[in-house]
Amino acid sequence: MPHGTAPKQLKDEIDAGLQSRGEPPPFKTNTRKAANARDGRAGEWPDFERRRAHAAARRQYALDHLDELHERLREHWRRRGVIVHHAPNSAIANDIILGIVRDRGARTLLKGKSMLSEEIGLNDYLARHGVEPVETDLGEYIVQLRGETPSHITMPGMHLDRTDVGRLFSEKLGGEYTDDPPALTRIARRALREKFLTAKVGMVGVNFAVAGTGHLATVTNEGNGRLVSTLPDTVIGLMGYERVTESLADLALLWQLLARSATGQRATVYLNMLHGPSPGPSGPREVHVVIVDNGRRRLNDDPELREVLRCIRCGACLNACPVYQQVGGHPYGGTYPGPIGIVLTPALKGAGHAPDHPFASSLCGACEEICPVSIPLPEMMLKLRARSVDERAKPDPERAVWRVFREVMGSRRRYELAAKLARGAQALWPGREMPIPGWTDHRDAPRFAKKPFRDLFHEDER
Amino acid sequence: MNTLDRFARLRAALADVDAHLVVIGAGRDATAAIVNLLAEEGARRVALTNEPLLYELALPDALYDAKLERIDPPAMNASWDDINAWREALARADAGLTSAFGIAEETGSMLLPPLAPDQRAVSLLPLHHIAVLRAGQIAPDVGRLVERWADGGDTDGSAVFVTGPSRTADIEKELVLGAHGPQRVTVVVLDD
């Protein structure tokens, strides 16, 4: 499995992925289980569509008032003694986090799950500067032990089965081989407990910051997010600029939708609401929030694409996507796979950074249908395709083909001449398909009739 | 909806997240019932918070009388060493007793409010988390539970919503209970 593929190699990675996978690939069964669970839970709310529309509206409201909500957040944070850092890009974010860890004299950073920390490349940066990042989410912990990157937003080890994990633990942690999930979980629990109790600095990914109160809300099922944000002396909340919601009521709805869409639960086991340093002797004495921009504010000004910032990172679109179900997450490269990834990666970094991403879709629309905040992903894919084409270096063979097409279709004489030539060319491959480079790799070439209809029509007339 | 129906829905929601509901009827000795619960599962080391309801039920004394090893919350002026010792004890505890702000019937989600000194670890480190509430603290759903909290005027401080024991399905989507948090959660409702 690749460590981290670059978005530019999407087509090659998909080909390689399709050829090398086992039958059936683990992500095929796992996405199906997740999608079925989601459908079951969504069905429990007779007014699911209304709640979904409300959630979309609340996310959009937040995006439309982002700066104002951040001002309110800062007020609460100032009052509660939370230390606020703004990071315009990944490099600065990493630097800030490293600085906090070093200031505490710590050599490890205990981490709750955070896709944003993947996006900024935090783990590599820390490792290069002598700080060991320790992933505590079981899936992330496993993927980290394997030296890989996660292949799914909410289930990082989607591409692994129990024997993979069994072999990994027995090799890296010692002890007898087992591939029984409860036993494997206990092994991980023991290995990580020690780290929880001794870590000086912890970091959690913030799912939402609540502007009405200043709480940093983090969602987990395992309890690692709670342990990471309550036990260490210093706790860092890492959030994207767009991860703000106005009220606790909004949070309640988004939390439940996130749980139902991601894993088919009514609620995640834990919704941790970190408000700031603890007044008493236990609990974090210092709380930092690092707010990362990394292209989000510019994206919020882009009228065609800004709605993608509504995303609550549930991963439901991955589970529904026929492309993702076949190839899994790694071929996409970058941080975010699946439908959200093929829009978000070029949206944040520019169409040229991931030129093939918007084309890796059949536009079936399953993603938009399942999205709890109704992001019009297929429409955005079309917009990004146009941008990708506009940004292509010239000369561009596809452009030339379209120019010829326009010329030919523009005149009846040219059209009839072209059709005659095509029929002639077809005769060179009697009984077989005419090969058109690139096109007939995945499609059947159309067959031209021996006589065009207009000739038959005129014959009949006489 | 009469009270009996209300408990059935909560019981089902808790069962769905692998948690348990124990209802103690009015007039019954709640304290004895809770100590009994602990005895039945062979709990020897029990931690508790200093929440008012636990004191109203005289649980600290009851635990002492039952000869259980009681792990008390740290004092406001506790040293860092004291805190560490307390956490180590929690990590070895069989059960942690807390109260809660309220619980949502639809999902079985409990809101654990801020406590000083921060004692949330009592609901997190021991293997079994037991939360004691009064029936009046049950809200129909998460939205209304949050409303009660927000309208109550005091949302200051770090809090957490807990829905059943900790779990993971990161290996082949097979569910395992007791990932990093408690493996068992029991909600005790005083029907008074």
Side-chain angles (χ1 to χ4, degrees):
Chain A
M1 270 290 153
H3 175 78
T5 58
K8 277 222 163 87
Q9 304 163 278
L10 182 59
K11 278 188 183 156
D12 297 330
E13 291 294 338
I14 288 178
D15 280 337
L18 286 172
Q19 278 163 33
S20 70
R21 70 190 185 173
E23 279 301 331
F27 31 81
K28 185 137 194 206
T29 9
N30 293 337
T31 50
R32 178 139 321 139
K33 286 186 193 175
N36 289 342
R38 175 264 171 203
D39 287 344
R41 271 315 167 218
E44 268 181 15
W45 281 342
D47 59 345
F48 183 81
E49 285 305 315
R50 187 189 61 78
R51 295 195 205 214
R52 188 179 168 223
H54 185 66
R58 294 311 297 158
R59 280 302 293 140
Q60 198 55 52
Y61 174 87
L63 295 173
D64 294 340
H65 298 88
L66 215 41
D67 292 341
E68 175 198 315
L69 292 178
H70 270 274
E71 230 178 86
R72 289 169 64 182
L73 278 170
R74 280 195 295 273
E75 256 315 298
H76 286 290
W77 288 333
R78 183 182 10 252
R79 189 174 53 88
R80 299 287 309 176
V82 174
I83 303 164
V84 183
H85 310 262
H86 280 275
N89 58 46
S90 306
I92 295 178
N94 289 330
D95 197 49
I96 290 168
I97 295 168
L98 178 66
I100 297 169
V101 175
R102 278 187 174 155
D103 278 348
R104 302 292 146 278
R107 304 298 302 279
T108 63
L109 174 67
L110 213 56
K111 294 181 65 196
K113 186 158 154 39
S114 163
M115 294 300 296
L116 181 56
S117 74
E118 292 274 335
E119 187 187 315
I120 65 178
L122 178 66
N123 286 6
D124 274 345
Y125 183 84
L126 289 177
R128 275 184 279 128
H129 290 83
V131 173
E132 187 203 347
V134 178
E135 295 288 350
T136 60
D137 169 278
L138 180 61
E140 295 279 357
Y141 176 68
I142 290 169
V143 160
Q144 184 180 44
L145 269 183
R146 276 176 64 106
E148 283 176 354
T149 53
S151 63
H152 187 282
I153 288 176
T154 49
M155 191 183 163
M158 171 74 82
H159 59 292
L160 302 168
D161 62 33
R162 65 186 67 193
T163 61
D164 293 323
V165 183
R167 274 194 299 273
L168 175 73
F169 278 11
S170 131
E171 191 187 300
K172 290 276 165 84
L173 303 174
E176 246 179 74
Y177 173 88
T178 171
D179 55 29
D180 170 55
L184 290 168
T185 305
R186 273 195 300 278
I187 293 172
R189 181 190 170 111
R190 258 198 317 272
L192 285 168
R193 258 302 158 101
E194 187 48 44
K195 309 217 179 203
F196 282 132
L197 290 169
T198 55
K200 288 188 197 167
V201 188
M203 192 183 83
V204 286
V206 173
N207 290 83
F208 295 105
V210 182
T213 62
H215 283 96
L216 300 171
T218 300
V219 153
T220 72
N221 282 317
E222 297 175 20
N224 58 319
R226 288 186 67 193
L227 290 170
V228 169
S229 60
T230 51
L231 296 184
D233 227 2
T234 302
V235 175
I236 305 170
L238 180 65
M239 63 179 274
Y241 192 75
E242 86 286 12
R243 300 302 228 121
V244 186
T245 197
E246 189 185 23
S247 65
L248 287 174
D250 287 346
L251 178 68
L253 174 60
L254 293 171
W255 173 42
Q256 292 177 87
L257 274 176
L258 171 58
R260 284 170 203 248
S261 302
T263 51
Q265 294 173 280
R266 292 192 185 109
T268 56
V269 182
Y270 303 110
L271 172 65
N272 205 55
M273 312 277 293
L274 180 61
H275 209 195
S278 259
S282 69
R285 277 189 280 211
E286 228 177 66
V287 173
H288 299 252
V289 63
V290 179
I291 305 168
V292 179
D293 183 346
N294 223 17
R296 285 155 170 77
R297 296 181 77 174
R298 186 181 39 78
L299 182 50
N300 204 21
D301 285 335
D302 183 334
E304 288 185 333
L305 299 177
R306 59 190 299 255
E307 286 156 318
V308 75
L309 291 170
R310 285 189 207 158
C311 178
I312 64 176
R313 305 289 192 268
C314 67
C317 57
L318 276 63
N319 297 333
C321 177
V323 176
Y324 181 90
Q325 284 169 9
Q326 292 301 319
V327 303
H330 285 143
Y332 293 87
T335 309
Y336 306 102
I340 186 67
I342 66 182
V343 173
L344 200 52
T345 303
L348 283 176
K349 302 210 163 156
H353 179 85
D356 292 330
H357 269 47
F359 295 90
S361 163
S362 61
L363 300 177
C364 71
C367 52
E368 180 175 5
E369 234 175 82
I370 209 173
C371 176
V373 288
S374 304
I375 302 173
L377 287 167
E379 199 181 297
M380 294 179 175
M381 289 173 202
L382 283 173
K383 299 258 156 68
L384 282 166
R385 287 182 186 190
R387 292 188 193 188
S388 181
V389 168
D390 285 341
E391 285 187 30
R392 270 188 209 157
K394 301 166 179 55
D396 171 26
E398 193 179 322
R399 262 216 169 79
V401 170
W402 286 112
R403 197 171 310 127
V404 169
F405 180 80
R406 198 177 59 211
E407 293 303 312
V408 165
M409 297 304 268
S411 129
R412 181 178 166 161
R413 266 192 337 107
R414 274 181 250 147
Y415 171 76
E416 290 183 3
L417 178 61
K420 201 175 282 180
L421 286 171
R423 280 195 294 280
Q426 193 173 253
L428 294 173
W429 287 273
R432 281 193 291 129
E433 227 182 55
M434 186 165 64
I436 302 167
W439 187 263
T440 47
D441 290 347
H442 310 288
R443 299 171 184 85
D444 296 334
R447 285 203 70 79
F448 288 85
K450 286 230 175 66
K451 257 196 185 151
F453 175 73
R454 56 181 171 281
D455 289 353
L456 289 170
F457 183 76
H458 290 308
E459 275 176 17
D460 235 29
E461 263 191 333
R462 301 183 221 110
Chain B
M1 224 190 225
N2 68 42
T3 318
L4 260 152
D5 280 337
R6 205 164 58 167
F7 293 149
R9 194 177 176 218
L10 178 60
R11 192 183 304 275
L14 286 170
D16 280 345
V17 294
D18 301 292
H20 308 271
L21 176 67
V22 170
V23 178
I24 300 178
R28 279 188 53 208
D29 185 347
T31 312
I34 292 167
V35 173
N36 225 31
L37 212 131
L38 291 164
E40 268 169 27
E41 63 178 41
R44 299 241 26 94
R45 296 174 294 261
V46 180
L48 30 56
T49 62
N50 58 15
E51 289 167 280
L53 182 56
L54 303 183
Y55 279 82
E56 280 167 42
L57 294 173
L59 276 163
D61 286 340
L63 293 179
Y64 180 78
D65 291 339
K67 309 254 192 302
L68 297 173
E69 186 191 320
R70 203 179 71 199
I71 302 161
D72 289 326
M76 275 304 288
N77 59 0
S79 69
W80 196 230
D81 283 336
D82 287 344
I83 303 284
N84 271 334
W86 171 66
R87 285 179 179 169
E88 297 278 343
L90 287 183
R92 286 189 316 267
D94 300 310
L97 271 172
T98 75
S99 180
F101 174 87
I103 189 167
E105 204 179 22
E106 183 188 15
T107 60
S109 307
M110 284 186 277
L111 170 56
L112 304 185
L115 295 171
D118 176 42
Q119 299 160 36
R120 283 194 305 286
V122 173
S123 66
L124 182 56
L125 290 173
L127 269 176
H128 185 180
H129 172 211
I130 302 171
V132 186
L133 300 103
R134 296 196 187 282
Q137 292 174 273
I138 300 173
D141 52 51
V142 171
R144 271 171 280 192
L145 177 60
V146 166
E147 226 171 90
R148 284 188 195 181
W149 186 38
D151 292 348
D154 186 13
T155 52
D156 255 9
S158 301
V160 62
F161 289 81
V162 175
T163 312
S166 79
R167 63 213 282 131
T168 180
D170 272 345
I171 302 174
E172 285 191 10
K173 284 217 116 18
E174 182 176 308
L175 176 62
V176 176
L177 297 179
H180 298 293
Q183 199 172 26
R184 195 176 160 87
V185 168
T186 301
V187 177
V188 176
V189 170
L190 307 178
D191 184 12
D192 41 19

